[in-house]
Amino acid sequence: MNLNVLVLPGDGIGTEVTREAVRVLERVAAKWKHTLQLREALLGGIAIHRTGGPFPDDTRALALEADAVLMGAVGLPEFDNWPPEKRPERGLLGIRKAMGVFANLRPVRSYKALLDSSPLKNELIDGVDLIIVRELNGGIYYGTPRGIFEDGPEPRGVNTMVYTASEIERVTRMAFELARNRRKKVTSVDKSNVLETSQLWRRVATEVGKQYPDVALDHLLVDNCAMQLVLNPKRFDVLVMENMFGDILSDEGAVLAGSIGMLPSASIGAKKPSGAWTGLYEPVHGSAPDIAGQNKANPFGAIGSVAAMLEYSFGLKEEAEAVNRAMESVLNSGRVTADLRPAGTPATTQQAGEAVCQAI
Ligand code: NAD
């Protein structure tokens, strides 16, 4: 198979973890005799430095040509006080929008070898296996009007949360499709006791649910969901929610996995004529300026994102499973990075990546 992949390392540890993820992709391509066409482009802070903006036109064009995009992370402290539309993170919103990806899948599972890395009790997290499906293209991160308005007696900050029924429908439908291949349970998360967007969300999710009689649907308010995720995470299979709720709750999910560095994500859009899903794959974590350049970032979130790419964009399930199994065996061997608090000397980012390649 021809794998045409655009790589966007981005900033900070994004470049370090992406290097290892690409190494794993190359190993898979060599072992299963796929042709790998890799291109690299700029996104985020490095793109601002080199081109003046976080999402250059070249990057946009290459992303639309590629079969799949592998991204690291964006964000540099020097831009922290810049206005939102000029910051590196705007590149992220830009590429998601340009690619039309509307669902962000964040699988969270507990690994036996990492039970002690989580601050939660082992019996609470042993066996956790859930997916958070976050709506990615709408909601308060995109709604207008937005801005800080200085025209009144005092400055006013404004953001707008807006959802159409069709935006809710396509993402909840994806959650039901995923649940069908899993434990057949969808939890739709909202704040329908306060927000009208959530009332519409609940209504549409219920309607979509009627078309999936084999899948159980329940509704949970987002504040209760935040609590249930730490009290009883094993009750969840597939959770679906709007953009900002998903942004927040998926970081809570990181606690279950032992470290935010473990979490992969897949942002999926419409199917291409070839039948593959349009996909943007990235670890959940950010550019981690506190550890950038030290070769100690955990690359497993990025490597897990490669596994997701192989599965969703290329339909290569055997290869995806091989990558997941290789990560599990490295975790069991204890050759892991410092964030997972191994008993012996922690592995470097590069050593952890090499160990996964060897295990494949
Ligand atoms: P972060 O995820 O970068 O870091 C949070 C904490 O987790 C830090 O202590 C960091 O050292 C640790 N951490 C993160 N990834 C790790 C890994 N792979 N291995 C080991 N430890 C890891 O979040 P932040 O500090 O809130 O944000 C830093 C910058 O990243 C900001 O500019 C932010 O806007 C940006 N950001 C980007 C993305 C993205 O590109 N998708 C996501 C979140 C934050």
Side-chain angles (χ1 to χ4, degrees):
M1 194 170 183
N2 191 27
L3 316 181
N4 173 12
V5 177
L6 178 68
V7 181
L8 305 171
D11 306 316
I13 64 164
T15 58
E16 300 166 50
V17 297
T18 305
R19 198 175 300 128
E20 300 315 313
V22 167
R23 198 197 293 270
V24 168
L25 195 53
E26 286 170 338
R27 171 81 186 109
V28 167
K31 180 160 177 182
W32 277 269
K33 303 198 178 357
H34 300 299
T35 311
L36 187 57
Q37 272 184 288
L38 287 176
R39 293 206 190 165
E40 196 172 307
L42 301 171
L43 188 80
I46 185 168
I48 299 176
H49 280 304
R50 302 245 185 106
T51 71
F55 183 39
D57 289 344
D58 278 1
T59 303
R60 176 191 297 267
L62 287 170
L64 296 181
E65 269 172 34
D67 294 329
V69 177
L70 177 66
M71 215 188 76
V74 299
L76 291 173
E78 67 203 75
F79 298 114
D80 277 356
N81 296 320
W82 284 37
E85 68 278 10
K86 296 203 166 140
R87 287 175 55 138
E89 292 82 351
R90 193 44 72 93
L92 199 59
L93 302 188
I95 192 166
R96 287 174 180 161
K97 196 96 186 167
M99 290 180 69
V101 290
F102 59 81
N104 185 229
L105 278 44
R106 298 187 169 194
V108 178
R109 54 174 295 208
S110 65
Y111 293 91
K112 289 249 184 259
L114 296 185
L115 291 181
D116 289 335
S117 306
S118 170
L120 295 187
K121 292 193 183 84
N122 287 4
E123 65 266 26
L124 282 181
I125 49 168
D126 190 9
V128 166
D129 179 7
L130 58 88
I131 297 188
I132 295 179
V133 180
R134 165 188 171 193
E135 200 290 327
L136 203 56
N137 236 349
I140 199 162
Y141 292 174
Y142 290 100
T144 52
R146 64 182 296 158
I148 299 175
F149 297 92
E150 313 266 4
D151 51 352
E154 59 175 341
R156 240 173 351 115
V158 177
N159 291 97
T160 303
M161 185 184 273
V162 54
Y163 271 107
T164 62
S166 56
E167 284 173 323
I168 301 168
E169 202 234 301
R170 64 186 182 178
V171 71
T172 47
R173 186 172 295 287
M174 185 173 279
F176 281 98
E177 294 284 336
L178 282 167
R180 264 198 169 152
N181 290 322
R182 295 173 46 95
R183 301 195 309 278
K184 299 188 170 39
K185 185 171 175 200
V186 168
T187 302
S188 174
V189 179
D190 62 43
K191 187 71 185 164
S192 60
N193 53 344
V194 179
L195 299 174
E196 283 77 7
T197 44
S198 280
Q199 285 160 8
L200 181 63
W201 185 282
R202 191 173 280 217
R203 197 204 301 168
V204 173
T206 305
E207 281 307 309
V208 173
K210 287 181 186 156
Q211 295 159 38
Y212 295 84
D214 51 327
V215 178
L217 167 67
D218 68 344
H219 301 275
L220 214 53
L221 295 176
V222 63
D223 37 353
N224 187 17
C225 185
M227 194 165 68
Q228 296 301 326
L229 269 173
V230 287
L231 284 180
N232 186 13
K234 279 186 259 189
R235 66 173 274 185
F236 295 115
D237 180 15
V238 178
L239 299 98
V240 61
M241 62 198 77
E242 68 89 38
N243 204 342
M244 183 170 63
F245 297 166
D247 191 1
I248 296 168
L249 291 189
S250 55
D251 271 24
E252 196 184 355
V255 178
L256 309 174
S259 163
I260 192 166
M262 288 300 299
L263 292 181
S265 83
S267 303
I268 311 281
K271 278 200 167 168
K272 292 188 167 186
S274 65
W277 296 98
T278 300
L280 171 66
Y281 300 86
E282 51 175 315
V284 167
H285 63 75
S287 56
D290 53 336
I291 57 165
Q294 297 172 38
N295 196 16
K296 65 184 195 189
N298 183 346
F300 281 20
I303 294 172
S305 303
V306 163
M309 171 190 290
L310 291 167
E311 180 170 350
Y312 299 125
S313 278
F314 298 115
L316 301 173
K317 287 207 165 141
E318 184 187 325
E319 288 86 333
E321 272 166 28
V323 173
N324 284 325
R325 269 201 313 275
M327 281 198 295
E328 183 128 35
S329 83
V330 174
L331 289 172
N332 289 334
S333 77
R335 278 176 296 164
V336 295
T337 44
D339 55 308
L340 299 177
R341 296 178 225 130
T345 312
T348 63
T349 309
Q350 198 178 344
Q351 286 166 341
E354 276 167 5
V356 174
C357 287
Q358 275 166 20
I360 292 170

